[in-house]
Amino acid sequence: MFWYHPSVGVSLQLLARLEARRCLKDIEPQLFADDGGPDRGKTELLYHLLCRCVLPEAAGGLEVDVVFVDTDYSLDVFRLASVLDSRLSADGSAGSDDAVLRSCLSRLLVVRCSSSSELLLTLHFLETTLSSRPKAALLLIDSISAFYWSDRSEGGASVAKQEEKLSRCSELLGRLLRDYRITIFATCHPIRRTSSGPPSSSSEADRSHLCRAWQRLVTHRLVCSKQEAEHNPANGDQGSGEQRNRQVFTVHCSSWTGTKGSRVSSFRVTDGGVEFVWTHRPPPGLSVVL
Amino acid sequence: MVALLVGMCPGLDEGLLRSLRAADIRTVEDLVSSDIEDLAQKCSVSYKALFAVRRVLLAQHTAFPVSGADLYEELLSSTAILSTGNPSLDKLLDSGLYTGEITELTGGPGSGKSQVCFGVAVHIAYHLKQSVIYIDTTGGLTAGRLLQMLQTETNNRDEQMEALQRIHTFRLFDVCALLDCLYGLGGGGGLHMACVGGGSVKALIVDSVSAVIAPLLGGKQNEGMSLMRQVAAALKTMAKDFSVAVLVTNHVTRSGSGEAQPGLGMSWSHVPTTRILLERVESGASGRRSATLIKSSRQACLIKEDFDLQWWSRAEGGRGGAGGGGETSGKRKLDETDP
């Protein structure tokens, strides 16, 4: 799936580069949309994914390049570095070597956009970046809904105009997915508070507020929500490590391509990043959530 | 949308612009998204020239990608932690206000948000000897109160004046003036001009940000949300690009279950990196407040600390409360305080 571009010399070379691109754990190229309210662990999940990709194979990573598109200046490099550090030293072999940490961080490319026009142009620019970096396999966008309100007010009364830029971005992302076989993970902030019921029942109401082109592009949706904090009776007043109340988050993953189904996982945020608690599949009788 | 203009880049002359407009290409986005081959045929220009123009425009208008390692290096060298002057607050904030981040104080009326802001400003100006920009949107800032706090730190008139000079105040009462002020500070070296008496601007305090935004929210207009987003973006840009610690205050609303939650809704909730809820303590001296950490990327949430608002006006050698300390002259004078 490539097009013959007159400026690319030999088309065979392009094909070879595309095939050499590392596939991520979940093999086929997918677009994940990660929803959830504030402070519900979405950023931690993103960092978890990031670390998984950039860590060297010896420490359990995939050693691929990651492009991080930051639309609301929310990337916390120190937090990322500390999660990487703890994963590297937990592994034991490499130790927390500064050079290894820097080489992991150099696999990450950060782009900051301040408006949806800039986002659109940057995605175009990323095409050339992706073709020159065959090891880039993951594109993280945090967050795709950052310009929702600016676009709405710029577009005036016409809904089509309001959604125009995001639709163009979605089309472009679709093209990047098909042509470069990358995985895209995007976070989306909801615009109204959802009731705190169990995720599977409220996700019908939780439909994305973004434009139709984006909704068509999404193949998997992970909805994060907070569970009740674990009650820890031995909570000392110093708040030392083990005695802190650990907030548990649940992630409800629903997908509607390939294997239709939904899955629920729970995780906790610790100093070393995200720690999964348990996973279960709902009974087969449950209807698929869209 | 960025409109295409003559002279934007070499090769984009009158003739080319006219033929592009005839083909309905008016903005940079249109040009970049369209198929260059098709367009070259339609406008009867050379493919190479058009491709070169596209490439230059793309390079001019996209964000510059940075490697994670470079970003990390840059942050290591430019990030600083500013102590607030109150050890209990510092413990909650993991040793202080971090530059490059937005910290939010929320609380009901009379919970001490402005007093904390004054105390932080005075501490940074006097002890840390750095400049502070204080944007007051409620009219609660008085130089007299700042001077009073400084007088408990030192008796030297010159030092007091020097510290006061490092606090630059702006009084604004609507969101457009706020945006104007922030853009003015951000661009054109406004921050450099604000550095007097040595020390660069290390803190920006906005008290309160909800006072200018809350009246615009609700109803059918989208303007309010879009302006809120612009304020958030301006604050974040100031914080990250100029390595400044931003402290904002917010009001509270009641959630469905009756507990206090920060105002301005969900769209604002992901803007600050750290959020602290201030509440009055029922029993105890009038200056006691309790601070709860409700959002943080570094510490477990819901840690609570009690602290004394009079900390910043205590005399040397002891915390306020029993004798020796300054008066609680907050915005709202309560009955039981004796001067």
Side-chain angles (χ1 to χ4, degrees):
Chain A
M1 232 161 315
F2 65 102
W3 69 106
Y4 184 67
H5 203 293
S7 73
V8 172
V10 182
S11 52
L12 269 175
Q13 244 176 25
L14 184 58
L15 189 57
R17 273 191 296 209
L18 289 178
E19 278 176 351
R21 211 174 280 280
R22 274 297 294 268
C23 291
L24 290 187
K25 251 320 186 203
D26 321 75
I27 301 297
E28 66 275 21
Q30 299 152 337
L31 176 58
F32 287 82
D34 195 7
D35 287 336
D39 193 29
R40 295 200 190 174
K42 286 185 306 208
T43 322
E44 288 296 325
L45 269 185
L46 271 188
Y47 292 162
H48 171 76
L49 211 63
L50 237 178
C51 292
R52 185 83 208 291
C53 290
V54 299
L55 281 174
E57 303 217 351
L62 296 167
E63 252 180 81
V64 292
D65 284 357
V66 176
V67 179
F68 192 102
V69 176
D70 188 6
T71 57
D72 52 4
Y73 272 96
S74 59
L75 178 62
D76 188 352
V77 184
F78 287 136
R79 174 72 186 146
L80 185 61
S82 74
V83 173
L84 274 173
D85 207 26
S86 55
R87 296 264 170 101
L88 282 172
S89 46
D91 170 56
S93 55
S96 48
D97 195 7
D98 224 20
V100 181
L101 181 66
R102 286 199 203 303
S103 78
C104 290
L105 283 173
S106 60
R107 287 194 199 105
L108 170 67
L109 195 66
V110 178
V111 189
R112 283 197 179 133
C113 298
S114 54
S115 71
S116 46
S117 321
E118 210 180 331
L119 178 62
L120 182 59
L121 293 172
T122 307
L123 288 175
H124 277 288
F125 183 75
L126 277 180
E127 271 196 75
T128 34
T129 316
L130 285 177
S131 52
S132 65
R133 275 186 162 211
K135 285 182 73 182
L138 179 65
L139 174 64
L140 292 173
I141 304 181
D142 182 19
S143 62
I144 195 86
S145 61
F147 307 121
Y148 176 71
W149 291 110
S150 322
D151 283 349
R152 269 188 77 166
S153 91
E154 261 181 52
S158 131
V159 176
K161 270 207 89 174
Q162 286 170 9
E163 299 184 339
E164 190 194 336
K165 285 190 220 163
L166 194 57
S167 321
R168 282 205 191 172
C169 289
S170 313
E171 283 161 22
L172 187 53
L173 284 173
R175 216 173 71 204
L176 288 178
L177 271 177
R178 283 191 306 270
D179 297 339
Y180 295 92
R181 298 185 71 76
I182 50 175
T183 303
I184 303 182
F185 216 103
T187 58
C188 175
H189 297 289
I191 50 173
R192 57 186 73 87
R193 261 174 235 279
T194 52
S195 57
S196 51
S200 51
S201 62
S202 62
S203 33
E204 282 95 356
D206 213 8
R207 206 171 285 270
S208 174
H209 54 94
L210 298 173
C211 68
R212 207 162 279 284
W214 173 258
Q215 290 178 21
R216 275 200 297 259
L217 200 57
V218 175
T219 53
H220 300 261
R221 202 148 174 251
L222 293 130
V223 180
C224 300
S225 54
K226 250 191 235 186
Q227 252 186 16
E228 285 309 308
E230 286 174 11
H231 186 63
N232 202 335
N235 196 19
D237 51 352
Q238 297 309 314
S240 63
E242 306 79 59
Q243 291 168 328
R244 279 188 220 148
N245 276 335
R246 290 283 170 76
Q247 182 71 55
V248 180
F249 299 92
T250 41
V251 172
H252 184 249
C253 173
S254 41
S255 44
W256 46 88
T257 53
T259 51
K260 284 195 199 285
S262 65
R263 203 201 258 150
V264 178
S265 290
S266 284
F267 65 92
R268 225 187 252 129
V269 176
T270 61
D271 281 341
V274 159
E275 207 180 84
F276 281 91
V277 177
W278 46 267
T279 312
H280 81 18
R281 274 208 122 87
L286 207 62
S287 58
V288 167
V289 173
L290 274 177
Chain B
M1 294 294 204
V2 187
L4 282 171
L5 300 166
V6 179
M8 234 176 173
C9 79
L12 192 59
D13 54 8
E14 279 278 355
L16 182 57
L17 202 62
R18 237 178 299 128
S19 23
L20 283 176
R21 285 218 183 109
D24 210 20
I25 303 281
R26 283 168 223 283
T27 62
V28 175
E29 288 87 7
D30 291 335
L31 178 58
V32 166
S33 327
S34 46
D35 186 4
I36 298 291
E37 270 189 69
D38 262 357
L39 201 55
Q41 275 178 358
K42 246 198 274 186
C43 305
S44 46
V45 284
S46 95
Y47 175 85
K48 261 183 128 171
L50 203 55
F51 189 75
V53 166
R54 179 188 190 268
R55 198 177 35 196
V56 173
L57 282 176
L58 206 53
Q60 278 178 354
H61 288 99
T62 55
F64 191 70
V66 182
S67 139
D70 292 336
L71 204 57
Y72 182 58
E73 294 283 356
E74 197 191 309
L75 279 181
L76 268 184
S77 58
S78 63
T79 306
I81 307 179
L82 305 168
S83 157
T84 58
N86 183 317
S88 322
L89 267 187
D90 280 348
K91 213 195 305 184
L92 271 191
L93 292 170
D94 195 17
S95 59
L97 297 170
Y98 279 62
T99 56
E101 290 185 6
I102 300 182
T103 310
E104 181 186 82
L105 287 174
T106 105
S111 54
K113 310 185 289 285
S114 298
Q115 293 298 309
V116 173
C117 290
F118 296 158
V120 170
V122 160
H123 181 84
I124 295 178
Y126 180 70
H127 287 278
L128 304 179
K129 305 222 182 319
Q130 304 292 336
S131 295
V132 179
I133 296 187
Y134 197 109
I135 299 182
D136 178 29
T137 64
T138 56
L141 174 68
T142 51
R145 178 63 181 141
L146 293 177
L147 183 61
Q148 196 179 45
M149 285 176 155
L150 274 171
Q151 276 165 348
T152 59
E153 302 277 357
T154 171
N155 287 322
N156 184 332
R157 188 87 182 151
D158 287 334
E159 281 180 17
Q160 289 166 5
M161 286 303 119
E162 210 184 295
L164 276 182
Q165 276 196 320
R166 287 195 201 106
I167 305 180
H168 303 270
T169 58
F170 292 87
R171 276 221 172 85
L172 321 153
F173 300 104
D174 67 85
V175 74
C176 296
L178 176 63
L179 282 173
D180 229 359
C181 176
L182 289 174
Y183 290 147
L185 286 171
L191 273 185
H192 294 296
M193 289 192 274
C195 301
V196 175
S200 47
V201 175
K202 277 284 169 229
L204 169 68
I205 304 180
V206 183
D207 177 24
S208 76
V209 78
S210 58
V212 285
I213 296 179
L216 303 170
L217 299 178
K220 292 214 176 125
Q221 310 95 316
N222 300 324
E223 294 298 314
M225 301 296 279
S226 153
L227 285 166
M228 178 163 82
R229 156 106 194 112
Q230 279 183 43
V231 169
L235 287 174
K236 285 218 161 174
T237 317
M238 285 282 279
K240 293 262 160 133
D241 291 347
F242 297 101
S243 235
V244 162
V246 177
L247 179 65
V248 298
T249 59
N250 195 358
H251 64 285
V252 287
T253 56
R254 296 275 155 196
S255 71
S257 46
E259 47 179 65
Q261 66 190 13
L264 293 181
M266 296 212 86
S267 310
W268 177 262
S269 56
H270 56 88
V271 173
T273 323
T274 313
R275 300 179 110 175
I276 292 184
L277 177 67
L278 293 177
E279 283 164 321
R280 307 175 70 95
V281 173
E282 292 308 315
S283 55
S286 61
R288 307 274 327 164
R289 296 291 184 271
S290 88
T292 315
L293 188 65
I294 46 182
K295 177 182 178 189
S296 166
S297 53
R298 279 180 292 270
Q299 310 218 75
C301 282
L302 304 176
I303 308 178
K304 223 167 154 139
E305 284 284 335
D306 279 0
F307 70 102
D308 193 346
L309 272 186
Q310 294 173 27
W311 178 267
W312 287 283
S313 13
R314 76 198 187 289
E316 283 305 307
R319 289 182 71 157
E327 312 105 53
T328 37
S329 52
K331 276 190 292 196
R332 290 167 192 79
K333 263 212 152 44
L334 298 170
D335 35 278
E336 68 270 42
T337 52
D338 17 319

